[in-house]
């Protein structure tokens, strides 16, 4: 019924050959069923018996069976990871960490809203509240008001092995029993001055903290299986997920930041080509989509799919720069002759406008031609093309409804994922650097860390993470609304100078921030109606307005920062 056109009946003969090959490889579907169910049963038993030192379960499994009969239970396990207090750790955060270790999981509601509501105890009213909070299918809003909006699922197939199951279990063990559990997480300034952390904060730092139940179950299974323990030093982020799409409440009463040292703009970066190297400037014009020409271009593969550093880390070695006087973008890379692209490319008028996707957003683009496509294909060693966002379709093709912006109902975006600007604080970088340096053999330089976080605006503020308490900011004549924190992915693990991957960066961020991967804040520009030119400059003073009931009060000593 869902066939578009005639069924491919000539290919039906291939089914017999496919089943014959499957029979030869595995011995048939009955053996596949027994094999995959054995893996699921083993993993289910181990997961069910994983306990924290306080006796709390590590996971909550959602199932209608007890995994005793393969005729009624398939080889999948659906669950959520819990912290030691029984709170759900968001599925998107677990997914990010799993991907670092080459473990593929599926997350969300799995196109099965009814089962999701039943097992997660989500009412119809909860569904409506989640939608009002900005949650839609396929996004990363995994916890709303402390309750999960979905879960994590693993599946086994005929090619899966017990080693795969053991690797996954060790991954979960490392998640909950990391040695960094005993470290005091970095918190925002407000939390440091208003919340206390008990001196006898319990730590879970090794696998010996597992409950006897796990050891017994493990021992029984060791008769038939060789279990190899893998250690890792990381945690998933905390369960209190802050949505990247969360906007400041319209009813919030902002408070101006009181006293303290002035905050200034330290660096300005734009990224003309999405996922390529940064272009640093001292001052730059602001357009209606953010910094002028920021992420106006992107590289796509031969199928037209956007390529990022997740798929092609060498993109960070491509160095684009903008010459406003000559109205060109110059692209350079080691071993390649420089090549230029006009900022006023007349090709757009003649080109066919195509629809592309950036995350879940649909954008109108056009191809930049064979010459630049050949350049990128040679450098990356694979067929690819450079495309540019269509200028006459910007306002219609990629907009974001942003609650809390008084000047506009729709904010136009370039080829960014979430917002027009990303801001980070040097003080936060310095505190994170201390934590990472303690975990790495070769400490990172501040400049290298700044490059990894790929911000547009870098500010120098007195207190680390005080930017997380801002509701809006003014920089010169420009006004910006804070629309939420930036939840980080594995791109920060990529050295922006070499393209090399170091998993420890994201793991350290998670451990340092108390099971969160948030770092930096997203900004949207509030259009001004004044005679001032819209120019963002290094050295400009930043004037933040705080969220409701927030007052920055710097700790009086380093000891207070750790324990208060």
């Amino acid at each position: 019924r869902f066939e578009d056109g005639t069924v491919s009946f000539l290919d039906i003969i291939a089914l017999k050959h496919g089943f014959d090959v499957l029979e030869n490889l595995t011995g048939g579907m009955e053996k596949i069923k027994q094999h995959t169910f054995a893996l699921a049963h083993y993993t289910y038993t181990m997961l069910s018996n994983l306990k924290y030192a306080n006796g709390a379960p590590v996971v909550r499994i959602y199932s209608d069976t007890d995994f005793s009969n393969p005729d009624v239970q398939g080889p999948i396990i659906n669950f959520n990871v819990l912290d030691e207090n029984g709170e759900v750790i968001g599925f998107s955060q677990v997914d990010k960490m799993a991907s670092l270790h080459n473990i593929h999981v599926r997350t969300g509601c799995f196109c099965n809203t009814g089962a999701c509501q039943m097992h997660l105890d989500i009412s119809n009213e909860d569904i409506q509240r989640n939608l009002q909070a900005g949650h839609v299918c396929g996004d990363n809003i995994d916890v709303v008001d402390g309750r999960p909006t979905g879960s994590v699922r693993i599946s086994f197939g005929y090619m899966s092995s017990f080693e795969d199951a053991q690797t996954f279990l060790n991954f979960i063990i490392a998640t909950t029993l990391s040695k960094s559990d005993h470290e005091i997480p970095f918190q925002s300034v407000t939390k440091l001055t208003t919340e206390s952390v008990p001196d006898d904060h319990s730590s879970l730092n090794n696998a010996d903290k597992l409950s006897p139940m796990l050891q017994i179950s493990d021992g029984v299974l060791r008769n038939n299986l060789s279990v190899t323990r893998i250690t890792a030093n990381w945690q998933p982020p905390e369960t209190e997920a802050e949505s990247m799409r969360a906007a400041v409440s319209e009813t919030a009463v902002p408070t101006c930041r009181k006293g303290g040292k002035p905050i200034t703009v330290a660096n300005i970066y734009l990224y003309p080509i999405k996922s390529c190297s940064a272009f640093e400037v001292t001052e730059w014009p602001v357009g209606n989509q953010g910094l002028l020409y920021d992420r106006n271009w992107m590289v796509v593969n031969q199928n037209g799919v956007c390529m990022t550093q997740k798929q092609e880390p060498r993109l960070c070695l491509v160095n684009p720069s903008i010459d406003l006087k000559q109205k060109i973008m110059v692209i350079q890379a080691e071993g390649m002759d420089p090549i230029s692209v006009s900022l006023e490319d007349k090709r757009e008028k003649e080109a066919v406008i195509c629809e592309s996707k950036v995350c879940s957003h649909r954008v109108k683009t056009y191809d930049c031609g064979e010459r630049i496509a050949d350049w990128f294909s040679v450098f990356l060693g694979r067929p690819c093309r450079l495309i540019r966002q269509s200028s006459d379709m910007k306002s219609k093709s990629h907009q974001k409804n942003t609650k809390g912006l008084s000047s506009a109902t729709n904010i136009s975006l370039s080829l960014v994922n979430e917002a027009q600007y990303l801001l980070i604080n040097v003080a936060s970088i310095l505190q994170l650097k201390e934590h990472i340096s303690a975990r790495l053999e070769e400490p990172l330089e501040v400049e290298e860390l700044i490059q990894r976080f790929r911000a547009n605006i870098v500010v120098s503020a007195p207190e680390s993470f005080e930017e997380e308490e801002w509701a809006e900011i003014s920089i010169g004549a420009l006004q910006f609304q804070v629309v939420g924190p930036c939840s980080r992915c594995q791109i920060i693990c990529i050295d922006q100078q070499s393209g090399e991957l170091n998993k420890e960066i994201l793991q350290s961020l998670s451990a340092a921030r108390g099971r969160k991967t948030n770092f930096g804040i997203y900004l949207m520009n509030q259009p001004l109606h004044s005679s001032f030119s819209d120019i963002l400059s290094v050295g400009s003073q930043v004037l933040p307005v705080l969220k409701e009931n927030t007052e920055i009060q710097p700790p009086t000593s380093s000891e207070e920062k750790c324990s208060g």
Side-chain angles (χ1 to χ4, degrees), residues 39 75 131 278 282 287 320 340 348 436:
L39 295 178
L131 286 172
T282 54
S340 63
E348 179 180 3
I436 294 178

Side-chain angles (χ1 to χ4, degrees), residues 288-290 394-414 416 418-421 481 483 523-527:
N288 66 346
Q289 294 183 303
K394 286 179 181 177
S395 61
K396 298 179 182 178
S397 62
H398 193 185
Q399 293 184 335
K400 192 178 190 69
N401 294 323
T402 307
K403 181 180 174 184
L405 285 179
S406 58
S407 303
T409 54
N410 285 296
I411 299 297
S412 182
L413 301 180
S414 60
V416 295
E418 285 293 332
Q420 294 173 335
Y421 304 88
Q481 187 87 30
V483 294
L523 305 176
M524 293 291 197
N525 187 30
Q526 292 183 322

Side-chain angles (χ1 to χ4, degrees), residues 7 58 146 281 294 318 347 359 450 549:
V7 176
V58 171
V281 295
D294 182 46
V318 176
R347 182 186 307 274
C359 290
I450 290 175
N549 300 325

Side-chain angles (χ1 to χ4, degrees), residues 262-300:
I263 303 172
T264 57
V265 176
N267 306 88
I268 299 172
Y269 300 97
L270 62 148
Y271 306 82
I273 305 176
K274 185 177 177 67
S275 247
C276 289
S277 179
F279 174 46
E280 185 174 9
V281 295
T282 54
E283 63 176 23
W284 199 255
V286 171
N288 66 346
Q289 294 183 303
L291 294 173
L292 194 62
Y293 300 117
D294 182 46
R295 296 177 175 88
N296 268 200
W297 293 264
M298 67 180 179
V299 181
V300 297

Side-chain angles (χ1 to χ4, degrees), residues 80 88-96 105 107-109 135 139-143 148-152:
N80 267 317
V88 173
I89 297 172
F91 60 75
S92 67
Q93 311 298 354
V94 176
D95 185 26
K96 288 177 185 178
V105 298
T107 60
C109 270
H135 173 54
D139 66 15
N140 290 324
I141 301 179
D142 45 23
V143 177
T149 62
S151 57
V152 182

